[in-house]
Amino acid sequence: MEKASTWLVAALAGVAAAVAAGTLPDVIKGWLGEQRWLLTILCLGAAGIFAGINLWQQRSKGVGIVITLPRTRWRDPWNSQWTRAAIDHARRHTDSCFTVERDIPGPSPEADAEARSDARHQREETLELVRSLVTARLIELSESDPSTPVSIYINAALPDAFELGTKLKFHVHRELRGLGVDQGRQETTTDIVPVVPQRSENVDADFFPAVRLSSRLKDPLTQEEAARAGKLAGVIQEPSFEADPEGQAVALIVHLSDNPQMVYEALLAAQQGCADTTGREETCRAALVIDGGPANIPETIRDFELVVRLIYATWRAWNAARPQYASLQPRLFLAAPASVAFALGWLLGHKVRVVPHPYQKFEAGEPCISS
């Protein structure tokens, strides 16, 4: 189908060029007589069509940046098929594809405190290297053509996706605009599509645009948007858990995937005091839960962005209503698509610290949720 449309465009361009160049006017003149004004309009129109098609063919389709960060000692084998599919999708829908693949080191379950500290240090260095590579590519694009659309495909553990989003927020000196890879899923044809595509679970698609990295994610929800967001995820501002009155952290628990035990386990971990990605171990004095239940987010730009905006707006309002917690460390317990994790890092990562799953007491070397 794509090849057929290309041939059609080429054929139309050829006909228009022939008319503009004067090959056909003599033939048409025999049909229309001396109606020179009509021939003039026809030639000008054909020249305009030819110029438009030429400009359309020369437009930038953008750049796809594929980031894949497999973890060593992952609880399940890392699937490399995602990377191949993302590269193929980027090559089909953009002018060029830039790929970054780095292993994220992880300690073994029996590792001691020193080994875990070394693994955290190596992980930070790896994420910084990925940030440097991606930023260099973005700066290169910005200097050559700031209007080039950019789509970032990311496959990583949620803490890594979150922290990479944090790093890119302060190092990208241009407006990121993603490429429209599936116009049928747009609300309108004039929307600027998101920069972060997400793997699709539908049988007729591989990736779809999910989240734009722009200030729009900070916009307050309208009444209509709040009503729709309420159908996608429920907000529990006072969850039932045994808070630590002396705790030095507060928990933001976001459950947007089909993981029925996640909220319970996260609240228990917040109560018992698990370590975040920096190795800091704290108990929580309070918690906010945003629970999407068993259903997945509908695969539309509107809904993915709406959920991200819901999390941001709810978290801001929750903090504003509880100034007594302002000095405490916010901790994020997250189960969600990687695109959402990346966007939340871009929005919240300058202060919020993410807690990796399975929740561990790193110093003790055992799970928080063990009986």
Side-chain angles (χ1 to χ4, degrees), residues 125-162:
E125 287 185 337
T126 302
L127 289 177
E128 182 61 22
L129 174 61
V130 173
R131 188 225 33 103
S132 299
L133 293 172
V134 174
T135 301
R137 182 63 174 133
L138 292 173
I139 291 176
E140 178 185 343
L141 289 172
S142 178
E143 292 175 348
S144 60
D145 183 4
S147 65
T148 302
V150 178
S151 294
I152 298 179
Y153 303 72
I154 182 163
N155 188 28
L158 294 179
D160 302 334
F162 179 88

Side-chain angles (χ1 to χ4, degrees), residues 73-91:
R73 299 186 180 92
W74 192 247
R75 55 182 177 269
D76 291 319
W78 188 272
N79 188 350
S80 61
Q81 192 273 341
W82 181 96
T83 304
R84 296 193 297 271
I87 292 173
D88 175 69
H89 190 272
R91 286 174 174 171

Side-chain angles (χ1 to χ4, degrees), residues 55-225:
L55 290 174
W56 179 80
Q57 288 183 319
Q58 293 181 9
R59 81 195 191 287
S60 174
K61 294 171 59 180
V63 174
I65 299 178
V66 177
I67 303 172
T68 180
L69 306 175
R71 281 202 169 198
T72 57
R73 299 186 180 92
W74 192 247
R75 55 182 177 269
D76 291 319
W78 188 272
N79 188 350
S80 61
Q81 192 273 341
W82 181 96
T83 304
R84 296 193 297 271
I87 292 173
D88 175 69
H89 190 272
R91 286 174 174 171
R92 284 188 284 115
H93 294 283
T94 62
D95 293 322
S96 63
C97 175
F98 178 68
T99 304
V100 178
E101 183 170 2
R102 291 291 186 275
D103 289 342
I104 298 290
S108 61
E110 64 276 5
D112 58 18
E114 183 178 357
R116 292 182 181 278
S117 177
D118 289 342
R120 288 194 297 270
H121 181 68
Q122 293 176 31
R123 170 182 175 272
E124 179 61 28
E125 287 185 337
T126 302
L127 289 177
E128 182 61 22
L129 174 61
V130 173
R131 188 225 33 103
S132 299
L133 293 172
V134 174
T135 301
R137 182 63 174 133
L138 292 173
I139 291 176
E140 178 185 343
L141 289 172
S142 178
E143 292 175 348
S144 60
D145 183 4
S147 65
T148 302
V150 178
S151 294
I152 298 179
Y153 303 72
I154 182 163
N155 188 28
L158 294 179
D160 302 334
F162 179 88
E163 293 187 17
L164 189 58
T166 302
K167 291 177 179 295
L168 287 179
K169 178 177 180 67
F170 298 104
H171 291 275
V172 177
H173 307 291
R174 66 188 301 280
E175 178 187 3
L176 291 179
R177 295 190 302 140
L179 178 67
V181 295
D182 191 349
Q183 296 294 338
R185 297 180 188 268
Q186 307 283 334
E187 288 184 67
T188 68
T189 57
T190 59
D191 284 347
I192 298 177
V193 297
V195 67
V196 189
Q198 174 69 35
R199 181 183 63 86
S200 174
E201 295 185 358
N202 292 328
V203 295
D204 60 343
D206 45 10
F207 290 87
F208 67 94
V211 182
R212 292 171 292 188
L213 298 184
S214 72
S215 60
R216 174 174 166 75
L217 296 176
K218 300 180 181 180
D219 289 349
L221 299 176
T222 65
Q223 185 174 358
E224 179 185 354
E225 288 172 336

Side-chain angles (χ1 to χ4, degrees), residues 262-303:
M262 184 269 174
V263 173
Y264 166 78
E265 292 179 352
L267 285 171
L268 191 56
Q271 170 191 324
Q272 294 182 352
C274 286
D276 59 23
T277 53
T278 68
R280 177 176 173 177
E281 188 175 323
E282 298 285 359
T283 56
C284 292
R285 197 180 301 183
L288 168 66
V289 176
I290 300 175
D291 189 0
N296 292 329
I297 308 171
E299 294 185 358
T300 65
I301 296 169
R302 176 188 180 188
D303 290 321

